[in-house]
Amino acid sequence: MIKEKLQERKLPELLVMNNGDAVTPENWEERRKELTKVVKKMGEDTKVAVRNLRRDANDKVKKMEKAGDFTEDDSKKTLEDIQKLIDKAVKDIDGIVADKEKEIMEV
């Protein structure tokens, strides 16, 4: 009941977490920094996943070229297109992470 009343009033002096622990203004900054580390880690994990997709796609293109389904020029063009898509995805991920970090660190 106390937790609900505190959250209802949105007191800046005290924030009660779901597990009953209190986060006071003194350790909010520390908690925000921890959350930004989590966001960065999630961003890095996502970029690794995207790069793994690139590797798989590049391998398929190279196999198709060896099988004669793609010419060397088609293969090169496709690999360049894949790289452009990956670069855009990585840039988007970096932007999302930066925005989220900024949002978390706002007071």
Side-chain angles (χ1 to χ4, degrees):
M1 176 143 155
I2 295 171
K3 178 176 77 171
E4 288 83 16
K5 290 294 180 184
L6 285 173
Q7 288 175 338
E8 188 178 284
R9 291 186 56 202
K10 297 182 181 172
L11 294 175
E13 303 84 54
L14 184 67
L15 175 67
V16 179
M17 305 301 280
N18 287 337
N19 65 2
D21 294 338
V23 177
T24 60
E26 292 80 36
N27 60 7
W28 279 357
E29 183 74 19
E30 180 182 324
R31 180 68 179 139
R32 283 192 206 108
K33 288 179 181 178
E34 290 172 14
L35 288 173
T36 60
K37 288 179 184 177
V38 171
V39 169
K40 284 180 184 179
K41 174 81 169 100
M42 291 172 71
E44 287 303 315
D45 290 347
T46 305
K47 289 193 283 188
V48 167
V50 167
R51 290 179 184 129
N52 287 338
L53 290 172
R54 174 187 58 198
R55 183 196 62 228
D56 294 345
N58 286 349
D59 289 347
K60 287 183 182 182
V61 169
K62 290 173 186 175
K63 284 180 184 177
M64 292 177 76
E65 182 184 351
K66 284 184 182 180
D69 296 333
F70 272 9
T71 65
E72 187 176 338
D73 289 341
D74 289 340
S75 178
K76 184 177 179 181
K77 173 74 170 114
T78 303
L79 292 174
E80 289 172 0
D81 290 344
I82 291 169
Q83 185 60 48
K84 287 177 187 175
L85 289 171
I86 297 303
D87 291 344
K88 183 184 180 325
V90 168
K91 183 178 177 183
D92 290 346
I93 292 165
D94 287 339
I96 291 167
V97 168
D99 290 347
K100 185 52 75 174
E101 287 175 336
K102 182 180 176 185
E103 179 183 332
I104 290 170
M105 293 306 292
E106 282 182 1
V107 179

